[in-house]
Amino acid sequence: MSEERMTGAAAVLRCLELENVRVAFGLPGGAIMPFYDELYKRKSFKHILVRHEQSAAHAADGYARVSKEVGVCIATSGPGSTNLVTGIATAYMDSVPLVAIVGQVATSLVGKDAFQETDIVGITLPIVKHSFKVKKFGDIYFAIRGAFYIAKTGRPGPVLVELPSDVQRQEGVFRGTDLNFRGYNPEGFWNLDKMPEAIEAILNCERPVILAGGGVIISNACTELLNLAEKLEIPVATTLMGKGAFPEEHWLSLGMVGMHGTPAANKALCEADLIVAIGVRFSDRSIGRPDKFANSAKVVHIDYDPAEVGKNVRPNIYLVGDARKIIKEIVDSVGKVDISRRREWLKKIADWKEELRFDLEYSGQVRPQHVLKAVMEITKGEAILTTEVGQNQMWAALYYKVNKPRRFITSGGLGTMGYGLPAAMGACIACGCEMPVFNIAGDGSFMMSVHELDTCARYNLPVKVLLLNNRALGMVRQWQELFFGKRYSETIFSKEPDYEGLARSLGAQGWTVREASQVRGAIERALETPGPVVVNFLIPQEEKVLPMMVPGGTLKDIITEESLERR
């Protein structure tokens, strides 16, 4: 590497160039101006100027999930950096590689309550994988390149870099240093001592189920998972984060498990005698009460992170390491398997799958199922879906079949409303705008980041927002109806925006759909229309996401439409 004299801002950009950063999402301000001034001169990468810093983090997050690259977001000090916090936490909860670069007041002013000074490193400490406080020019190479190294190796996660404004102006000689972090082991802490026991359990069980989580996608283990399931004819359920890890139109797929999981997935986990959990953290939304989860089953837990083993569910057998390599070793180790004794199990599962049919006619009022069915039919699954959070997220998870990884982008762990639209921007750029990108939204979530329609319009991003509009905070309203005596406390909007006019004012197109018979045509028109589009589907306010696990219950405590009718 040639040594060259330059400013700190130029050194930061030189590091980003060495990391082959192609795009970053950000919003400039006072303490990060030297960086942006240097970017103006160097044009190191494409920069997407967003309308709010939180959107920058979500867009970088969506970009990372689709592209497998590290997402980059940039903000100034003070409120600029604190506006990133929700996006950083979202990435942390879902193990997304993200580098957040934030400005800071000059080093001479730190600790003096200067204008737009805040301790962003301290604020984000629990929600980052690591953070760097740059104090002088000589720290820059180690901090920026180290941030990328840590974000993408091992279990991915967000890393924050704080850049004081005077350090961005300092001059020095740019030179590389070794990236050695004492105590950090990106290769993980492998433990395969129980491999023989795991294989024996898999071979000798009668009612096995695989539970696949987001770790399967992160490990690029989807092909190996398919091989394992097909070779041993083991049904596969996924968590919300695991959607796409296994093709959901495959005959062995059970769909999503959990609070709004499919009957087949939840019943199979309740009656299995062996659960092979891969890349999952057994969240409360996926398994209900941990003390009541799978009491009749032996649990084999495979995970990269040893901290996840026994955190929520104590497994009988655990294997720690990369999921792709572990699954491959299992597949290679088992010979010809007699699965005849599992025929009855597979027959029972086939019957359970019939309980959630998706054969709705396009007539009457618009229902969420109409919209998701139409997207499947029109795109044949060749699309990327992002979701907001609430009923829209669960309807999408239940009714949209995902057959490939990195096609279903959602905030699983933190459950961040306002995530879907900026994440769709990042997804759209990651795929080069060569694939349809839909944001499945509710009106509550959509209004939290609606300003980013302007960003979509300025950069001509063809994001299609399919708004499931019930004029309410639908999921909270559903809970109030079912568990709070129909006391709809502050969940119903007394007035709603003119979504068509709002879309037009921000540079997008928009129209409203009231009848199910119009759904397909509206989505086809959206795909034919250049740039961003908002399709406002008016759905019944009382529409609920069912099945639903009783809060605080188990996977057996399920509310269905039939059980509600019997009340």
Side-chain angles (χ1 to χ4, degrees):
M1 181 186 302
S2 61
E3 296 187 351
E4 184 182 350
R5 191 165 183 81
M6 61 180 67
T7 65
V12 173
L13 284 163
R14 182 72 187 112
C15 290
L16 297 178
E17 291 164 4
L18 291 171
E19 292 293 338
N20 295 315
V21 170
R22 295 188 294 136
V23 64
F25 305 84
L27 191 67
I32 197 75
M33 283 184 69
F35 171 89
Y36 272 96
D37 186 54
E38 192 64 30
L39 177 63
Y40 182 86
K41 292 181 275 188
R42 295 178 74 100
K43 302 192 186 323
S44 304
F45 47 78
K46 184 180 181 68
H47 181 274
I48 303 296
L49 175 60
V50 297
R51 285 290 183 177
H52 193 281
E53 291 89 348
Q54 182 176 335
S55 300
H58 292 328
D61 174 312
Y63 176 85
R65 297 193 201 210
V66 172
S67 69
K68 301 186 191 178
E69 299 173 13
V70 176
V72 180
C73 57
I74 305 163
T76 189
S77 62
S81 60
T82 56
N83 282 343
L84 290 179
V85 170
T86 299
I88 293 172
T90 302
Y92 181 78
M93 291 292 284
D94 291 345
S95 302
V96 177
L98 187 80
V99 169
I101 298 173
V102 298
Q104 182 55 287
V105 299
T107 52
S108 60
L109 295 175
V110 170
K112 298 183 179 178
D113 292 337
F115 178 68
Q116 293 193 333
E117 180 195 2
T118 193
D119 179 13
I120 190 63
V121 170
I123 289 170
T124 55
L125 200 60
I127 54 169
V128 294
K129 190 175 175 185
H130 195 64
S131 50
F132 294 89
K133 286 177 79 77
V134 175
K135 296 179 179 176
K136 59 183 184 302
F137 180 95
D139 296 340
I140 290 174
Y141 183 92
F142 186 76
I144 300 294
R145 302 218 62 189
F148 279 80
Y149 173 68
I150 291 175
K152 65 187 177 186
T153 55
R155 180 174 181 170
V159 179
L160 181 132
V161 183
E162 181 190 86
L163 291 172
S165 58
D166 58 327
V167 177
Q168 297 170 51
R169 294 189 181 91
Q170 281 179 13
E171 289 195 1
V173 176
F174 184 80
R175 57 173 65 95
T177 58
D178 289 337
L179 298 178
N180 182 26
F181 297 92
R182 189 170 59 183
Y184 179 62
N185 178 13
E187 299 302 319
F189 299 89
W190 287 66
N191 186 341
L192 304 184
D193 292 349
K194 304 291 185 183
M195 178 65 82
E197 285 182 49
I199 292 173
E200 183 180 356
I202 292 170
L203 292 178
N204 293 328
C205 63
E206 295 185 358
R207 303 185 307 280
V209 174
I210 294 172
L211 178 59
V216 174
I217 296 172
I218 293 171
S219 297
N220 298 314
C222 301
T223 300
E224 287 73 16
L225 174 62
L226 182 63
N227 293 340
L228 175 66
E230 288 184 336
K231 183 170 185 177
L232 301 177
E233 294 197 13
I234 302 178
V236 180
T238 66
T239 65
L240 177 64
M241 295 308 301
K243 274 184 77 72
F246 190 81
E248 291 190 296
E249 292 185 305
H250 194 285
W251 73 277
L252 286 169
S253 172
L254 301 171
M256 185 181 74
V257 73
M259 176 164 277
H260 293 287
T262 67
N266 285 350
K267 289 182 178 181
L269 282 170
C270 289
E271 296 198 16
D273 64 352
L274 180 76
I275 297 171
V276 182
I278 310 173
V280 303
R281 55 188 176 86
F282 297 109
S283 77
D284 56 322
R285 285 298 177 104
S286 293
I287 66 167
R289 287 180 53 177
D291 60 321
K292 300 289 185 182
F293 173 70
N295 287 340
S296 61
K298 184 176 284 188
V299 176
V300 177
H301 191 185
I302 300 171
D303 205 282
Y304 180 85
D305 188 349
E308 293 295 343
V309 176
K311 186 174 80 175
N312 293 326
V313 169
R314 187 172 295 279
N316 302 87
I317 301 167
Y318 62 87
L319 303 170
V320 177
D322 178 70
R324 186 170 63 86
K325 294 177 181 176
I326 291 175
I327 298 172
K328 186 174 186 309
E329 185 170 338
I330 293 172
V331 172
D332 293 342
S333 299
V334 297
K336 190 172 182 181
V337 182
D338 178 13
I339 58 169
S340 59
R341 57 184 169 172
R342 297 178 186 167
R343 291 299 179 207
E344 186 178 342
W345 174 239
L346 293 172
K347 171 67 171 60
K348 183 179 281 191
I349 281 175
D351 292 341
W352 288 334
K353 289 173 74 170
E354 292 296 316
E355 294 180 21
L356 190 69
R357 300 303 301 172
F358 194 30
D359 49 6
L360 207 61
E361 297 293 327
Y362 289 104
S363 62
Q365 286 184 286
V366 180
R367 299 186 66 189
Q369 295 92 321
H370 290 128
V371 177
L372 294 158
K373 178 183 178 183
V375 174
M376 278 294 294
E377 290 174 347
I378 293 168
T379 67
K380 303 189 186 315
E382 293 299 320
I384 296 173
L385 258 65
T386 68
T387 79
E388 302 291 347
V389 167
Q391 287 180 311
N392 63 85
Q393 181 188 41
M394 292 297 106
W395 281 320
L398 259 179
Y399 295 113
Y400 187 80
K401 304 296 183 187
V402 183
N403 292 316
K404 295 179 181 176
R406 302 185 185 277
R407 298 284 180 88
F408 187 84
I409 310 299
T410 194
S411 171
L414 197 64
T416 307
M417 294 174 70
Y419 170 84
L421 179 56
M425 289 162 29
C428 202
I429 293 170
C431 72
C433 300
E434 293 182 352
M435 186 178 297
V437 177
F438 295 96
N439 171 222
I440 306 300
D443 48 307
S445 285
F446 179 56
M447 288 301 291
M448 291 187 180
S449 57
V450 66
H451 42 267
E452 299 306 338
L453 278 178
D454 167 76
T455 306
C456 293
R458 278 186 285 115
Y459 294 94
N460 196 29
L461 301 177
V463 172
K464 314 303 177 187
V465 179
L466 305 184
L467 183 60
L468 306 176
N469 179 6
N470 58 7
R471 286 78 64 202
L473 298 172
M475 185 62 88
V476 185
R477 184 203 169 281
Q478 175 172 328
W479 280 51
Q480 289 172 336
E481 178 180 336
L482 297 177
F483 311 117
F484 290 84
K486 298 185 179 181
R487 294 182 294 279
Y488 301 119
S489 177
E490 302 300 326
T491 49
I492 298 173
F493 296 108
S494 59
K495 186 180 178 183
E496 64 170 341
D498 169 7
Y499 286 106
E500 296 178 28
L502 180 59
R504 284 196 297 273
S505 73
L506 293 169
Q509 298 294 312
W511 45 84
T512 298
V513 176
R514 294 176 173 80
E515 302 292 334
S517 59
Q518 302 169 333
V519 168
R520 274 194 63 118
I523 295 174
E524 288 169 340
R525 181 183 169 194
L527 288 172
E528 293 165 358
T529 303
V533 173
V534 178
V535 186
N536 178 27
F537 293 102
L538 298 179
I539 66 171
Q541 194 167 79
E542 62 276 11
E543 187 78 28
K544 286 181 278 295
V545 188
L546 296 172
M548 177 182 187
M549 180 170 63
V550 175
T554 73
L555 294 178
K556 292 181 178 176
D557 304 320
I558 300 297
I559 299 172
T560 64
E561 290 191 17
E562 292 74 20
S563 66
L564 279 183
E565 289 172 0
R566 290 196 297 270
R567 280 185 174 185

